[in-house]
Amino acid sequence: MVTGTAGDSNDKQRQLDSARVDREQGYLTTQQGVRVDSTDDAVKVGERGPTLLEDFHAREKITHFDHERIPERVVHARGAGAYGHFRPYADWLGRFTTARFLTDPTVRTPVFVRFSTVAGSRGSADTVRDVRGFATKFYTTEGNYDLVGNNFPVFFIQDGIKFPDFVHAVKPEPHNEIPQAASAHDTLWDFVGLQPETLHAIMWLMSDRALPRSYRMMQGFGVHTFRLIDADGQGTFVKFHWKPKLGVHSLLWDECQQIAGHDPDFNRRDLWDNIAAGQFPEWELGVQLIPEHREFDFDFDLLDATKLIPEEQIPVRPVGSMVLDRNPDNFFAETEQVAFHTANLVPGIDFTDDPLLQLRNFSYLDTQLIRLGGPNFAQLPINRPVTDVRNHQQDGYGQHTIPRGQAAYTKNAIGGGCPALAEEGAFRHYPEPLYGASVRARAEKFREYYRQPRMFWRSMSEPEADHIVAAFAFELGKVTRPVIRARVVEHLARIDADLAGRVATELGLPAPAVRDKPTDATMSPALSQLSVSGEGIATRKIAVLIAGGVDAEGLRRVRAQLTARGAVLETLAAHGGSVPAQGSDGETVTVDRSLATVSSVLYDGVLVPGGRAAVDALSGDGPAVHFVLEAFKHAKPIGGFGAGAALLRVVGLTPELPDAELSATNGVVVTSAFGRDVPGRFADAFAEVLAHHRVWRRATHAVPA
Ligand code: HDD
């Protein structure tokens, strides 16, 4: 994470400036620039008479309103975007690709990134169980390059022709349009049971990866095997990875469901607020490189997007860093109208024959034509490259440029043969030798569906594995047809008997017979998100429960130490405004939010400061006590000092303590010290628990919250 002020000094921002219109100045006008003196009453015959058609302002206003909506994306409809920049660390990748933005450390390339959920519609909640889109548009000096990835390294299907089937299965069911943004329903699991190629991505979907705490705390993956092309035209297979500097962290399913009500914009708000506060999220781009001669060295096909290459087998090599440092000015103009396309390539990068990618290369341009209303959407400010665009494609809805010259064809003599065909810097397709009969078929090596899901399952830590079992139990528990549930559990048995047995128990089904006992037990520790947990507590949100009589001195001390580490503290009380501090000198402590407007699920940790009167008030306040208990249940760090520690003892979260001792058992950090005596070690210990995100070893089952 980088701290600072918004970086708008790049080519793309300068270009966008010409499209920006400041609405906070000037006069109200019609679309024709004519000033308007009133927009509250339409022109009518007499004060009570019928409205006149001649009121062009009223008609234009209503007409424009009537046409405000465009089709939402058929998938990834809900998203949040931000600008930033990418810079490679060094030039080493230049041995493999001519793409300058990846190889010249002096070049800082502007980017726009859009994160998204997949299944829900535009107004659905952020914290649903779903894949997250992670699409990056690099405005390079050689044209736009789009890396249209996800936060899972594998996809649900192997051939693009299955995409409509898969999407129809996961989307709300067609007869009643239920459920919204949820995979827990019959059609998805019917599809999964009959299409075992989905199983690997389904394991990821049932894992914590599908519940990101923040877009800023997700990995990203290009998923497909792509190709880098060097200066001699030689190809190298490549997989792209984004790794967040803040580590990978997730929410619990119970929190997700509650947040969907308390703050359906949780992930977008988090991205927006942090960028606005100058806490810029950062990711490292890494690559796995596979020489072409090793194409067939794997026990899966490199062209199969349902498989990943374990990092232990082919390491991820760091390439550069991306920082997001500017929020959009207008959601629709930028985040909604941005159009990504897997076929937006620059010289030095090319496709492979991955059958999923091949049809993606058709789908994105096609879908933008309807979504953005015609063939000129690349001229929209957000989509325009920073390089020159000159060609003979002309006319169409929404033509914004004024192409000059008489000859709109190549070759021409009238226009001096221009625009000229490039000899330098042009994109050249990789000259892959191709031969074979045209068949509607799938390669044999694609037909192994269980080994990598098993590797994923076996690479999980205990809490991650527990969450996967609970997720299957929830999702299949919502399936109404027993035969669908049973079929999925059968598949799980082929992945791992223990997994299937545990899920079957939760569903009240008999443990399925294990037909073929797998002999392979490959693990990939890198798949556990605990292996990418990052460091520190920067941007973590801590709720501070206060009431009249709070120990302001102690709070100041602890707050200073935690904010110095980058954490964000919010004071919560029964009412807004402020509360009097302990003592009678008139000092008050500002209340950031009233308890009624928030919930513990919106925070990463809870702190209860001292002050006897304050703690007495909080102890008698049901919502405040519930807040602490619920945070405890969700395995979050809890801290209390002075009388605050006593409150945690009263509600049974920490044992009796001798005076002034610091204790940090079970992720509950307490000291009986207060005021200026709160030891520095208190904040240190709290921060350490917070840095681990959750206290997974804590027993929480019996907590009544
Ligand atoms: Fe896709 C959008 C990622 C397979 C067809 N896709 C879309 C977005 C992301 C992905 C991140 C949102 C872009 C944005 O923010 O505007 N899609 C993926 C990944 C895939 C994948 C990582 C597998 C590796 N997609 C895929 C297939 C097809 C599509 C196989 C069709 C054959 N995807 C689309 C689309 C969308 C889209 C219909 C909807 C809106 C859009 O493109 O612009 O064309």
Side-chain angles (χ1 to χ4, degrees):
M1 198 197 61
V2 175
T3 319
T5 47
D8 47 9
S9 56
N10 64 41
D11 293 351
K12 185 61 192 173
Q13 293 304 326
R14 275 193 291 279
Q15 185 197 58
L16 288 171
D17 278 340
S18 64
R20 289 182 172 127
V21 179
D22 197 347
R23 281 195 286 206
E24 288 173 4
Q25 62 186 40
Y27 292 99
L28 187 76
T29 71
T30 66
Q31 292 277 28
Q32 307 306 319
V34 176
R35 287 185 189 177
V36 172
D37 66 348
S38 163
T39 191
D40 295 341
D41 299 291
V43 179
K44 9 186 133 47
V45 184
E47 285 173 358
R48 302 181 61 247
T51 299
L52 291 176
L53 263 184
E54 71 180 46
D55 185 352
F56 56 83
H57 167 54
R59 276 195 292 123
E60 180 195 81
K61 186 174 171 182
I62 297 296
T63 304
H64 197 278
F65 172 76
D66 292 342
H67 295 257
E68 269 177 15
R69 289 291 171 270
I70 63 169
E72 65 174 32
R73 288 168 175 81
V74 56
V75 281
H76 297 265
R78 181 170 179 81
Y83 293 99
H85 48 84
F86 172 81
R87 193 198 287 271
Y89 299 136
D91 60 4
W92 70 270
L93 201 60
R95 282 190 283 130
F96 301 95
T97 176
T98 55
R100 224 183 127 208
F101 79 102
L102 291 175
T103 57
D104 185 345
T106 66
V107 174
R108 201 173 99 142
T109 300
V111 299
F112 185 80
V113 176
R114 184 173 178 273
F115 302 105
S116 48
T117 54
V118 179
S121 52
R122 241 187 92 176
S124 56
D126 282 345
T127 57
V128 293
R129 181 175 293 284
D130 202 350
V131 194
R132 298 303 187 280
F134 189 140
T136 308
K137 189 178 284 293
F138 296 86
Y139 303 95
T140 89
T141 51
E142 293 153 305
N144 286 352
Y145 171 64
D146 292 354
L147 184 55
V148 196
N150 278 343
N151 75 329
F152 297 179
V154 289
F155 202 63
F156 297 86
I157 47 167
Q158 296 173 323
D159 192 311
I161 197 169
K162 293 298 298 169
F163 192 66
D165 299 303
F166 166 66
V167 173
H168 291 170
V170 71
K171 282 267 186 184
E173 298 184 4
H175 60 307
N176 57 8
E177 216 191 27
I178 298 174
Q180 178 56 242
S183 46
H185 58 115
D186 283 38
T187 55
L188 187 258
W189 291 98
D190 186 27
F191 184 83
V192 169
L194 297 171
Q195 199 83 24
E197 71 198 60
T198 53
L199 289 170
H200 192 192
I202 286 291
M203 290 298 291
W204 284 77
L205 187 67
M206 294 303 107
S207 80
D208 293 348
R209 302 283 185 145
L211 318 173
R213 153 68 180 84
S214 162
Y215 290 140
R216 303 173 297 121
M217 301 172 192
M218 296 187 321
Q219 272 175 292
F221 302 92
V223 183
H224 307 281
T225 304
F226 294 94
R227 226 186 215 112
L228 296 179
I229 314 291
D230 71 12
D232 300 326
Q234 281 302 312
T236 304
F237 292 119
V238 63
K239 294 256 191 196
F240 291 107
H241 295 243
W242 291 114
K243 196 178 276 185
K245 279 283 155 76
L246 291 169
V248 178
H249 299 289
S250 293
L251 298 164
L252 288 168
W253 180 228
D254 184 48
E255 287 176 275
C256 288
Q257 293 177 88
Q258 294 195 46
I259 295 172
H262 286 292
D263 185 6
D265 305 299
F266 185 74
N267 288 141
R268 357 170 119 161
R269 190 189 305 284
D270 166 275
L271 181 68
W272 182 278
D273 285 354
N274 278 282
I275 291 176
Q279 311 276 14
F280 302 139
E282 183 180 356
W283 286 261
E284 177 166 277
L285 181 71
V287 288
Q288 286 178 298
L289 297 177
I290 308 99
E292 292 211 326
H293 69 264
R294 293 197 56 195
E295 179 170 3
F296 301 107
D297 282 3
F298 302 88
D299 63 359
F300 55 88
D301 200 312
L302 273 190
L303 303 185
D304 175 357
T306 68
K307 308 294 192 303
L308 56 84
I309 309 177
E311 289 185 30
E312 294 76 8
Q313 210 168 339
I314 304 275
V316 179
R317 300 170 64 179
V319 173
S321 146
M322 176 172 77
V323 175
L324 298 184
D325 62 0
R326 184 184 169 120
N327 282 319
D329 290 307
N330 184 278
F331 183 88
F332 181 85
E334 293 158 289
T335 309
E336 193 60 18
Q337 292 200 113
V338 67
F340 295 94
H341 185 10
T342 47
N344 287 350
L345 294 179
V346 292
I349 309 178
D350 206 342
F351 315 123
T352 57
D353 296 333
D354 174 340
L356 192 73
L357 179 58
Q358 296 278 314
L359 276 176
R360 288 184 79 188
N361 289 337
F362 168 77
S363 182
Y364 289 74
L365 172 58
D366 184 44
T367 205
Q368 317 300 358
L369 290 174
I370 178 126
R371 193 171 74 79
L372 298 169
N376 289 317
F377 64 86
Q379 295 177 17
L380 289 167
I382 187 69
N383 294 326
R384 282 176 61 196
V386 292
T387 46
D388 275 352
V389 176
R390 281 173 223 277
N391 55 49
H392 295 315
Q393 296 162 28
Q394 65 175 21
D395 306 348
Y397 287 112
Q399 172 59 261
H400 275 57
T401 64
I402 306 176
R404 298 204 292 183
Q406 194 177 345
Y409 49 87
T410 303
K411 303 169 173 169
N412 70 66
I414 292 176
C418 289
L421 296 173
E423 279 168 24
E424 289 279 302
F427 186 90
R428 285 198 189 88
H429 288 273
Y430 180 70
E432 191 179 4
L434 296 172
Y435 41 86
S438 51
V439 289
R440 197 183 284 287
R442 203 167 289 191
E444 184 57 37
K445 224 175 171 181
F446 279 51
R447 297 205 198 119
E448 199 293 313
Y449 309 122
Y450 304 100
R451 215 180 292 134
Q452 289 217 344
R454 185 177 309 126
M455 173 175 75
F456 182 74
W457 166 249
R458 294 192 177 164
S459 307
M460 294 293 101
S461 64
E462 207 178 307
E464 288 171 307
D466 291 348
H467 298 161
I468 289 174
V469 171
F472 273 112
F474 178 93
E475 298 267 317
L476 293 172
K478 292 249 184 186
V479 166
T480 61
R481 293 169 174 83
V483 60
I484 295 179
R485 282 202 289 268
R487 200 182 289 128
V488 173
V489 174
E490 287 277 312
H491 282 300
L492 297 186
R494 291 178 173 212
I495 294 173
D496 184 274
D498 179 46
L499 167 66
R502 290 177 64 183
V503 173
T505 306
E506 293 291 328
L507 295 171
L509 295 176
V514 178
R515 273 184 267 169
D516 20 56
K517 208 163 173 77
T519 48
D520 62 302
T522 320
M523 281 184 52
S524 168
L527 296 179
S528 163
Q529 69 181 50
L530 299 190
S531 76
V532 262
S533 58
E535 282 171 12
I537 60 168
T539 77
R540 295 316 186 86
K541 275 181 98 169
I542 303 168
V544 186
L545 299 185
I546 60 171
V550 62
D551 171 6
E553 172 77 40
L555 175 56
R556 243 191 319 276
R557 236 178 109 69
V558 175
R559 188 201 288 263
Q561 286 173 301
L562 292 173
T563 49
R565 290 175 161 89
V568 179
L569 274 69
E570 281 184 358
T571 50
L572 315 179
H575 56 77
S578 61
V579 296
Q582 194 175 32
S584 54
D585 56 2
E587 188 187 353
T588 57
V589 176
T590 305
V591 176
D592 293 319
R593 300 184 198 281
S594 76
L595 268 167
T597 63
V598 290
S599 157
S600 82
V601 293
L602 304 175
Y603 295 90
D604 297 299
V606 181
L607 202 59
V608 188
R612 172 58 55 198
V615 170
D616 283 350
L618 290 171
S619 309
D621 183 6
V625 173
H626 180 263
F627 196 102
V628 180
L629 286 176
E630 190 176 57
F632 183 85
K633 186 170 182 94
H634 292 146
K636 290 174 184 171
I638 316 271
F641 56 86
L647 172 86
L648 301 182
R649 279 202 292 281
V650 171
V651 295
L653 300 187
T654 181
E656 280 301 321
L657 288 176
D659 271 359
E661 190 183 314
L662 180 81
S663 137
T665 312
N666 223 358
V668 182
V669 182
V670 284
T671 173
S672 51
F674 54 89
R676 69 171 64 89
D677 294 333
V678 178
R681 287 183 302 127
F682 173 79
D684 292 345
F686 186 80
E688 198 186 320
V689 184
L690 191 59
H692 286 103
H693 186 56
R694 297 299 164 89
V695 189
W696 296 121
R697 64 180 183 281
R698 188 188 280 168
T700 58
H701 195 66
V703 181

